[in-house]
Amino acid sequence: MVLMPHSRCNCRCVMCDIWKSNHEKKEISTQVLQQHIQAFKRLGVKRVALSGGEALMHANLWNFCEQLHGIGVKISLLSTGILLAPHAHEVTTHCDDVIVSLDGSRGVHNAIRNIPSAFEKLEQGVRALRQIDKNFPVTGRCVLQKLNFRDFPNVIRTAKQVGLDQISFLSADVSSTAFNHVEGWQEAGAGGIALTPDETNEFEIIVEQSFVEFKEDYHRRFIAESRDKIRSLVQYYRAIQGNASFPVHRCNAPWVSAVLESNGDVMPCFFHKPYGNIFNGSFEEIINSEQAVSFRKKLDVNKNETCKKCVCSLYV
């Protein structure tokens, strides 16, 4: 389950609008979580990814984590990295692994995050975690788009320099209302993130060269994706331009997971509409409601327009 404990973020990323709602300060309290914790256990929740926004900005995150660990749930923390250093002890105590967002080498990362010292704080945070537990799992995730696709090789080098165990890559979502794009993507906004045809051709060359330069990193899975998966990022941008079909995804997210937003909405994944809201009914009732069951029965990920354009499919 992906759980967003609150709505705020400490970055102002160019490809995400979550930070624009910081003033709303929506938060799932530990008291509200407690009302649903046994439902999580009955439903067999095995892992929770604390997402956001920045989960470390939650008012009582460690009690939040204790409740989840109390039913045997493993916790992955998705973080900008900015607050890792001051919370390093608590993170290594209450979380099972951390996934940091890495957008490029120092200057590129800071420009995309719109925070002058974002990279430096991420680097300090990873170092602080390693000082407490040198084996604590810390991986990275990078969204490749117009402002950093040329920096792709440097992202791999930087991930090693920072001390990450692995780096994963996604293309940028420029079609859905996810990540607080409540009015969808306007052409001008998407144009600032999606690649042009010429840039896509350039990206393809960079990708193909990476298979030679970073052959060992692909082989040992330091780069999480296969070569075909990385090539699909190029295909995605061609599809956005209308010059190719979208990559075929193997995804069972709506059948094996759920997303719980800070406003209480329960969703099959980041990109589909909510089934219901925990402030109007129990989590278990929502997941097994007629609406939710009907959605899952009718969904064909190979034909659904939202699924076809998905940038982060899941298959477990």
Side-chain angles (χ1 to χ4, degrees):
M1 186 169 71
V2 178
L3 200 162
M4 302 175 189
H6 73 101
S7 62
R8 294 175 294 152
C9 190
N10 51 13
C11 284
R12 294 171 171 255
C13 301
V14 297
M15 62 285 189
C16 176
D17 283 349
I18 289 175
W19 58 273
K20 292 183 179 179
S21 295
N22 280 358
H23 62 282
E24 296 179 7
K25 298 182 181 179
K26 296 172 184 173
E27 184 169 285
I28 298 176
S29 68
T30 53
Q31 292 79 11
V32 170
L33 180 67
Q34 185 61 47
Q35 296 171 16
H36 302 277
I37 201 76
Q38 290 306 312
F40 298 164
K41 183 177 181 179
R42 286 191 297 272
L43 290 165
V45 175
K46 295 180 175 65
R47 182 173 290 272
V48 166
L50 297 176
S51 185
E54 173 55 64
L56 289 173
M57 295 173 72
H58 188 273
N60 208 352
L61 186 64
W62 311 125
N63 283 345
F64 212 81
C65 291
E66 285 176 2
Q67 290 186 51
L68 294 168
H69 273 310
I71 59 169
V73 168
K74 300 248 182 224
I75 298 175
S76 296
L77 173 67
L78 279 60
S79 177
T80 65
I82 290 175
L83 293 175
L84 281 178
H87 293 290
H89 177 74
E90 291 85 358
V91 169
T92 55
T93 299
H94 294 283
C95 300
D96 296 281
D97 68 285
V98 169
I99 304 168
V100 295
S101 297
L102 178 65
D103 291 312
S105 50
R106 186 182 306 268
V108 174
H109 179 86
N110 287 345
I112 290 174
R113 295 269 138 185
N114 276 313
I115 301 292
S117 58
F119 179 87
E120 290 79 2
K121 290 180 179 178
L122 183 154
E123 191 173 33
Q124 291 166 9
V126 175
R127 188 182 306 123
L129 296 176
R130 297 294 193 207
Q131 287 173 346
I132 295 170
D133 181 354
K134 65 179 182 179
N135 296 316
F136 186 79
V138 189
T139 59
R141 185 171 293 163
C142 178
V143 176
L144 290 171
Q145 36 91 2
K146 182 184 285 289
L147 300 182
N148 68 352
F149 77 92
R150 294 184 181 93
D151 210 36
F152 175 42
N154 288 330
V155 177
I156 300 168
R157 298 185 190 105
T158 301
K160 294 179 183 178
Q161 169 201 324
V162 170
L164 302 183
D165 297 311
Q166 189 181 59
I167 183 71
S168 175
F169 295 93
L170 300 170
S171 46
D173 168 51
V174 292
S175 62
S176 81
T177 57
F179 311 107
N180 202 39
H181 294 119
V182 291
E183 296 180 359
W185 282 85
Q186 304 302 314
E187 186 173 343
I193 300 300
L195 274 58
T196 66
D198 286 345
E199 288 170 339
T200 305
N201 291 337
E202 184 182 354
F203 183 33
E204 183 175 37
I205 293 171
I206 294 170
V207 162
E208 293 299 323
Q209 289 173 339
S210 78
F211 300 149
V212 177
E213 182 176 359
F214 300 103
K215 179 180 178 181
E216 182 58 26
D217 295 308
Y218 281 102
H219 177 71
R220 67 186 180 93
R221 296 296 301 277
F222 179 76
I223 299 171
E225 287 75 25
S226 67
R227 289 167 175 80
D228 286 344
K229 186 73 173 183
I230 292 294
R231 285 189 176 109
S232 75
L233 306 187
V234 177
Q235 183 181 346
Y236 169 83
Y237 284 114
R238 288 213 169 104
I240 288 292
Q241 299 152 14
N243 296 324
S245 59
F246 283 95
V248 176
H249 296 298
R250 192 181 183 200
C251 181
N252 63 355
W255 296 271
V256 300
S257 66
V259 173
L260 176 54
E261 292 240 14
S262 58
N263 66 356
D265 281 347
V266 179
M267 304 153 65
C269 71
F270 279 114
F271 305 103
H272 283 286
K273 294 179 180 179
Y275 297 137
N277 189 290
I278 61 169
F279 294 109
N280 299 322
S282 77
F283 182 84
E284 192 167 14
E285 290 171 346
I286 294 167
I287 285 292
N288 290 318
S289 66
E290 183 178 342
Q291 178 184 351
V293 172
S294 176
F295 173 84
R296 291 191 291 268
K297 283 183 176 180
K298 293 178 181 178
L299 181 63
D300 184 336
V301 296
N302 294 315
K303 296 179 180 179
N304 182 274
E305 288 301 314
T306 297
C307 292
K308 285 164 66 175
K309 296 178 182 178
C310 180
V311 297
C312 55
S313 56
L314 169 75
Y315 189 86
V316 293

